[in-house]
Amino acid sequence: MVKLWDTSTLSCTFTLNVSEQVHMTRFHPVAENLLVTAEQDKVRVYDILREKEVYSSSPSSSPEMCTTVSWSYDGRLVCAAGKAGEIAITDIRCRSCIGSAKLYSPNKEIHHEWIGVDKIVLAGFKGRDRVYQTVDISDPSHVISSIDLGTGSGTPFVKYDHDTRMMFLYAKGDHGFTYCEVGNEGVLKENWKESCNEVIKGIALLPKTSLDVMSGEVVRLMILHQTSLSPTPFIVPRKSYKDFHADLFPETRGPVPGIDGEGWINGKDGYRELVSLDPSAVRMLAEKKTENGAVSSKVEEPKPEATKPPAVEVELVEENGKHKKILSNLTEGQSAYRNIEGCLAHKDTHYHGLRNVQSVLPQEMDGLQVGRKFGCHLMTDIGGRLAVFDLETPGQNNTPQLEIVNVGSPIVFQWDPFSDKHILAVGGDCAQVKLWDVRDLTTPATLTATLEGHVSKVVLMSYHPAVEGLLATCDSSGVLAVWNTKQHSQMERIEFGSDDLCVAMCWDTTDGYTLYITLKSGKVVSHNFRTKSQKSVELHSEIRMARMGATKDVVVVSGFVGGNNRFLYVLSLCRGSEFALLGKHDLAIGTSLCIPFVDVDRNLVFLAARGESTVLPFELRAVSPHVLPLSSFSCPPVQYAVTLISKTVCNVMDVEIARFYKLCKDSVQRFSLSVPRLKKEYFQDDLFPMTIDLSSPVLSATDWSQGQEYKLRRVDLCPDGVKRFSEVEVVRTSSQHSRIQQEHLKYKSHEAQRDELFNAFAEQIQQNSGPLVQDTMEGCEEDEWSD
């Protein structure tokens, strides 16, 4: 069924019953009341004014499983593409297929746009690569130009502006788009890529008559996100916008159709009248029509908008005799960490030759845990075995490992952050938490205690980062317990019920007494053990899986919401009566959960998903914008698990802000994230604030249970004898622009040069105005001339 809606009255004006499922509809670009549809294996054209079908393709003239269609610029031809990877070009009135080709992999949609009347840009998949190709209708199998934008799961699309020859490539679910120019013979020239803060759901081009031409706006994209629509103008900078720049705005198609649908079907051709975008010409045309009685209403000038969307400026700069386009993106909010870059450490810092690394892990399990001396990962063998390796002996071909045989399959495990005995807590399907003492790799691990109190398998575990011997666990029946691991006793117990399971939890490091819990019902609960108060915020109707963390200003939740849609939620810390959802960020679609690793002092979060090789850093803020995406880092091979190390081991003189370990097929590799800076001889104190000292506990579990004062200690990461960058005296030098301006001020006009030269001559003449040399000489006597 196809319905036509009148947007002015929001009413359905026409309903067309069709026999097949309709995948796409396109109006004729020249003729009136003609509509083409892609219906399964056929392409059909309808005259909506007379409510009848005027064309239906035969199986030989349309691709198999047809899903997309498009008209040529003059409306003579139709291109159709199907999921079999084939395109077909058809002349509707002659009822013949003039060309076809199979250019893409099957079972994927192909989208396309016409470049004029004889060339087509196609967007589809070749394997997992998203490839854009230009073909000529005379030989569709021959590719003129091609652009490969890499692998991805989102369907690729293309948008083209015929007047400016600007093309925009994007894929649904990505965080940006690519801007291209179409050169001669349909050659695609990739210029630059623009990123967006949110996932793109679709892009449309605003009609030319709606552009702000007096501001140099040549194109405006309307970008659809999950919950918003963002206009993105493209503006060409000019010294003055007082006059209309006709070189930027050629005449474009007007709103009047060139011919009626019946005349076009009968073989007649029409052409839409071209109109000027010059506001003065538009005004004169409107006044002329008013005088002739064609228009009775007064044409009002558009009022300036109160707020304009951020513009993407395209500046023309001449370089080596060629014009180069430069992008200037005016974004709201800047981060000092926005240019983060990653680096994989040397292989001598890796741990090679790990045996039987488990690649298929439960979603609740992190897979890799690193303590002060040892690391631990799950092994593939049946029986719940864990492998422990020494962090102080990297670079060996076969890293020594100690196996821990746990009764029951382990689901979660974590190192005690303060125990001198290197205690490893393990929870699993036996409904118990076992504490293992690891001395060294030559001595078998000793089971020191078993914490009992759960009624089902333990699925969540979190040591308090600043309190010694304080462990929170949660089982699959909704029971949350807080343990004193020194006394092997249970101190607190909260039952949420089997209908509202806990899917994530984290401690508030800055407060010390608050635990945040994410429930499957879509709520985040803040529980303060000191005041026994509890508050909640609803995020969604249901959250399938999640992970969370807390910084000094916000709480962040990463989880699945409906299928494979991944979101990042930002909440305020529960301080007094304040506990609310601040915002959310749409992450790319995926099958693995993005696990957050938070930097409490800097308000940074790093997201890493299992089975991928990319780390996504974000800066979080309590004020808008709440989420600032930073530069991502990707390095092969794929990661089975990732863990963040304490920032006190980072090399601050190399501006290293974070250090990670990632578990791979048979090794554990180290990589770092840093911020590029020029003057690395100084301590970059704007990037390294005072850091919470977690080398020793603030309280013991017993003191914590009594509600004693929780006061964090902070340390300065600045090395001794190193000068801070904020203390360096800044010597401001004139920029290149100011130097050019100074040279321009020294330039003198021809009149000034003439006057200066004349004055110099006059001054020299005045200086030499004394008696001439010959006036002082004695001449000959008169009688001497007689001879």
Side-chain angles (χ1 to χ4, degrees), residues 138-200:
S138 61
D139 185 9
S141 61
H142 173 65
V143 177
I144 300 174
S145 178
S146 177
I147 293 179
D148 190 341
L149 295 187
T151 60
S153 58
T155 303
F157 290 83
V158 56
K159 295 296 178 182
Y160 178 64
D161 181 30
H162 292 272
D163 297 331
T164 60
R165 301 182 69 86
M166 299 172 66
M167 182 170 289
F168 304 93
L169 315 178
Y170 71 97
K172 189 179 295 184
D174 281 3
H175 282 83
F177 60 88
T178 301
Y179 163 61
C180 299
E181 286 185 351
V182 180
N184 297 329
E185 303 299 329
V187 176
L188 302 181
K189 179 183 178 183
E190 183 178 353
N191 282 7
W192 39 257
K193 296 182 179 181
E194 174 66 10
S195 60
C196 301
N197 292 335
E198 298 184 52
V199 168
I200 295 177

Side-chain angles (χ1 to χ4, degrees), residues 23 34 49 132 394 407 427 496 563 566 613 654 761:
H23 295 279
L34 289 183
L49 182 63
Y132 295 82
V407 178
F496 292 99
R566 300 186 291 190
S613 58
D654 281 341
F761 276 119

Side-chain angles (χ1 to χ4, degrees), residues 416 435 451 463 468-471 483-489 701:
D416 189 330
L435 303 180
L451 307 180
Y463 268 105
E468 184 180 16
L470 188 64
L471 175 66
W483 308 86
N484 185 337
T485 59
K486 298 296 182 182
Q487 300 178 358
H488 307 154
S489 61

Side-chain angles (χ1 to χ4, degrees), residues 179-250:
Y179 163 61
C180 299
E181 286 185 351
V182 180
N184 297 329
E185 303 299 329
V187 176
L188 302 181
K189 179 183 178 183
E190 183 178 353
N191 282 7
W192 39 257
K193 296 182 179 181
E194 174 66 10
S195 60
C196 301
N197 292 335
E198 298 184 52
V199 168
I200 295 177
K201 299 296 183 180
I203 293 180
L205 297 179
L206 197 70
K208 289 290 184 177
T209 54
S210 301
L211 300 179
D212 187 4
V213 295
M214 297 308 295
S215 296
E217 182 183 13
V218 293
V219 170
R220 185 185 302 179
L221 301 183
M222 306 300 292
I223 304 178
L224 178 65
H225 303 293
Q226 183 70 23
T227 58
S228 62
L229 183 67
S230 62
T232 305
F234 282 70
I235 297 175
V236 178
R238 291 294 171 92
K239 291 183 179 179
S240 174
Y241 295 105
K242 293 182 180 180
D243 300 326
F244 176 74
H245 297 279
D247 59 322
L248 299 180
F249 303 98

Side-chain angles (χ1 to χ4, degrees), residues 28-32 73-75 253 256-259 264 269-272:
H28 197 285
V30 177
E32 189 177 15
Y73 186 69
D74 57 1
R253 283 179 167 179
V256 181
I259 192 175
W264 186 87
D269 290 326
Y271 301 94
R272 287 169 58 179

